[in-house]
Amino acid sequence: MEPDTSAVLAAALTRPVCVLGLGLIGGSLLRAATDAGREAWGASASETTIEKARADGYDVSDTVAAAVRRAADSDALVVVAVPLTSMDDVLAVVGKEAPDCRLTDVTSVKEPVRDAVERWAPASRFVGGHPMTGTEFSGWDAGSLQLFHDKVWVVATDDDTDLAVWTDVVALALACGATVVPAASDEHDVAVARISHLPHLLAAVLAAVGADGGELALALAAGSFADGTRVAATRPELTAAMCEGNRASLLAALDDALGRLGAARGSLASTGGLLATLTAGHDGRAALDAARLDRREVRVDLTGTPAEHLESMRELGRTGGRIIGWTAEALEAAAPADD
């Protein structure tokens, strides 16, 4: 029997949220979900983080296990917001304390997380997520209510996706001020290798090359160097976990970049010419600017069978579209009846 889509959306718009991990992303999510009027609580392995979050007025459980048990009792959406290196430990708690919970994550790779969920919490109703936002800073103090505003939040949209939990994750992203790009997990990982993970590697190399130029080079460093190396200030272990978690896709992107750099070096050494490399880069940046100006924004409902809906959402993401909200008809149908 097909689900009652109006009831699915109505529940998603008010579903409680449990955030496991209160660093930059998780801490910002707890703030944003609370500000959006959701019942929201969090958990952290760090006593210092727990004390800071509570001092700022947020609801934080004593342990991850306690937070997950509360989520099971409340039928909350559990959000795993820890680095990939800590994912197994947290998912083991989820699998024990709330084995069939509604579950998502905010990690920068999707297929490795899905594999980990299958190992540790196989009965959970998992739909992956990835907010495309962040800073070079980390920890609770780096969090912000505004971190997700006008940013893209990828929601995994695979063939076996639970449409009700997919709706929960989309509703949470929208409530936090983001827009949503639906994408298959494998397609997401290939894409972020090129526009997120490779830039972190290039920033690290650029920063090291600049620093090796000595004090004069660093004294002369201006906007292009600062912009190109900003993310190199991220804690190295976090960047390593992100990049190594997407090894296959990142290797392909890195090979592409090395090939282009090799061609540029060959041209510079033999003819002194770099125009082809620079023109390709200029065109690539122009394509980014054009995509930002011409993005397709849609409001969606949940009509059609789950398979039809999920395929149409994947195609929306592939063609540069994004979800900015629900249709008026969907919201009207989901609204509680007047007494």
Side-chain angles (χ1 to χ4, degrees):
M1 185 175 64
E2 296 295 337
D4 179 348
T5 56
S6 60
V8 166
L9 180 56
L13 294 173
T14 58
R15 188 168 304 286
V17 179
C18 170
V19 184
L20 307 180
L22 298 176
L24 170 64
I25 302 296
S28 296
L29 179 53
L30 180 59
R31 292 174 171 96
T34 302
D35 188 65
R38 297 289 188 95
E39 179 187 2
W41 62 94
S44 173
S46 165
E47 289 295 332
T48 300
T49 296
I50 291 173
E51 292 172 3
K52 287 181 176 181
R54 286 176 173 171
D56 287 340
Y58 292 94
D59 186 350
V60 182
S61 299
D62 291 331
T63 65
V64 170
V68 174
R69 286 194 294 269
R70 179 176 170 185
D73 292 340
S74 304
D75 194 21
L77 176 64
V78 177
V79 185
V80 181
V82 299
L84 197 59
T85 50
S86 301
M87 187 66 62
D88 285 357
D89 291 341
V90 173
L91 287 176
V93 177
V94 172
K96 178 182 178 181
E97 304 292 347
D100 58 353
C101 69
R102 299 167 184 265
L103 181 66
T104 188
D105 75 305
V106 290
T107 315
S108 63
V109 289
K110 297 278 64 73
E111 288 201 291
V113 175
R114 187 175 61 182
D115 293 344
V117 170
E118 290 176 354
R119 289 194 303 272
W120 296 103
S124 66
R125 301 169 66 184
F126 175 69
V127 175
H130 179 200
M132 301 298 299
T133 186
T135 72
E136 63 272 33
F137 305 109
S138 59
W140 171 265
D141 292 337
S144 167
L145 264 177
Q146 308 300 317
L147 189 68
F148 308 106
H149 279 208
D150 297 323
K151 301 300 193 300
V152 166
W153 193 312
V154 180
V155 178
T157 309
D158 300 308
D159 286 338
D160 59 352
T161 294
D162 184 317
L163 186 57
V165 181
W166 184 90
T167 306
D168 290 334
V169 181
V170 171
L172 175 62
L174 295 173
C176 292
T179 59
V180 171
V181 171
S185 294
D186 57 347
E187 294 176 357
H188 163 276
D189 289 358
V190 170
V192 295
R194 289 180 173 269
I195 55 81
S196 177
H197 304 165
L198 179 63
H200 275 79
L201 286 186
L202 296 179
V205 172
L206 180 59
V209 169
D212 285 350
E215 293 182 4
L216 176 59
L218 294 178
L220 299 179
S224 60
F225 185 77
D227 292 344
T229 61
R230 179 184 65 81
V231 295
T234 306
R235 283 166 49 196
E237 63 271 23
L238 296 180
T239 301
M242 175 180 69
C243 292
E244 291 169 0
N246 200 21
R247 189 184 310 272
S249 294
L250 181 54
L251 281 171
L254 184 58
D255 285 344
D256 188 355
L258 290 172
R260 293 170 188 260
L261 287 171
R265 187 194 185 285
S267 296
L268 184 62
S270 61
T271 66
L274 285 173
L275 188 58
T277 296
L278 298 175
T279 299
H282 185 272
D283 291 346
R285 175 63 199 209
L288 171 63
D289 292 338
R292 286 175 169 171
L293 290 173
D294 194 33
R295 69 189 193 190
R296 183 158 61 103
E297 297 179 339
V298 302
R299 295 183 181 275
V300 299
D301 54 28
L302 303 175
T303 57
T305 67
E308 291 170 338
H309 185 82
L310 293 169
E311 176 54 35
S312 67
M313 290 299 98
R314 281 195 295 271
E315 188 59 25
L316 173 70
R318 290 185 190 114
T319 56
R322 60 185 65 184
I323 299 168
I324 62 170
W326 310 101
T327 63
E329 294 79 7
L331 291 172
E332 182 179 0
D338 294 333
D339 293 332

